[in-house]
Amino acid sequence: MAATTQNRLESRLGGVTLEGTPHQLSAWAVVGLRLIMGWVMLTAGYGKIVGEFSAYGYLANVDPASPASAAFGAMAESGAMMAAVDVIIPWTQLLIGIALITGAFVRLAALGASIQMVMFYFGSWDVAGGFLNDQLVYAAVFLALGAFAAGRILGLGRYLEELPIVERYPKLRYLLG
């Protein structure tokens, strides 16, 4: 395996330049991470869909110290909101998993997964060991998958971006990668 001129990372933000040359196996690592996180979300969603899932206990018992405790408590007390949450959580997890595994709409899936993980972070409010916990780590991993456009690497994203509609509306690439 040999590195190519395209195997380069570079970014400029706020007067700071970051640059580097990733290892030639980095693409495989990104694909592996995408598949692992896809499996995590797929199985989480599927388990909730086929099982007895209700977010009520989670939302009604958020640590009062959490900045979101009042909002989550209000959600738990609303029958309509609970009906929506009990459908949205498992189905979005399942769809995120499918998107990550197939490499289609990875950026959209990564954004949705990151938002969900941040919401879980505020819901669990497990900060006894510091503010960094597994939900924030998951959120960061999902954001990294989106930033790396992981769906373009051995995924359907590379082919979806060649569709005529994407050529007509190039901003769709922000959702696909």
Side-chain angles (χ1 to χ4, degrees):
M1 284 184 274
T4 66
T5 57
Q6 295 178 8
N7 196 13
R8 181 150 180 76
L9 297 174
E10 184 176 329
S11 178
R12 288 183 185 84
L13 180 64
V16 177
T17 300
L18 302 175
E19 55 186 324
T21 305
H23 189 274
Q24 54 200 4
L25 295 176
S26 297
W28 291 102
V30 169
V31 170
L33 187 59
R34 191 188 83 216
L35 293 174
I36 289 167
M37 297 309 292
W39 184 256
V40 166
M41 294 302 282
L42 179 80
T43 57
Y46 180 76
K48 288 175 181 76
I49 290 168
V50 300
E52 297 288 325
F53 172 73
S54 173
Y56 176 80
Y58 182 82
L59 293 172
N61 295 300
V62 170
D63 185 336
S66 169
S69 64
F72 284 7
M75 289 170 68
E77 294 306 316
S78 167
M81 184 62 78
M82 285 310 308
V85 168
D86 287 345
V87 171
I88 291 170
I89 296 295
W91 283 99
T92 56
Q93 287 179 345
L94 183 80
L95 292 172
I96 287 166
I98 291 169
L100 291 175
I101 290 169
T102 63
F105 299 96
V106 168
R107 284 188 168 153
L108 180 62
L111 176 63
S114 296
I115 291 169
Q116 200 171 83
M117 290 302 121
V118 169
M119 297 301 290
F120 292 166
Y121 170 76
F122 284 115
S124 70
W125 202 243
D126 180 18
V127 294
F131 283 99
L132 185 63
N133 67 14
D134 56 342
Q135 287 96 3
L136 281 185
V137 172
Y138 277 161
V141 168
F142 287 124
L143 288 175
L145 289 172
F148 285 129
R152 294 178 184 159
I153 307 169
L154 199 63
L156 294 178
R158 127 183 292 169
Y159 303 106
L160 291 172
E161 289 186 0
E162 295 174 5
L163 294 174
I165 191 167
V166 177
E167 189 172 313
R168 184 182 302 146
Y169 302 103
K171 290 185 179 184
L172 286 175
R173 282 187 176 87
Y174 291 114
L175 301 176
L176 296 172

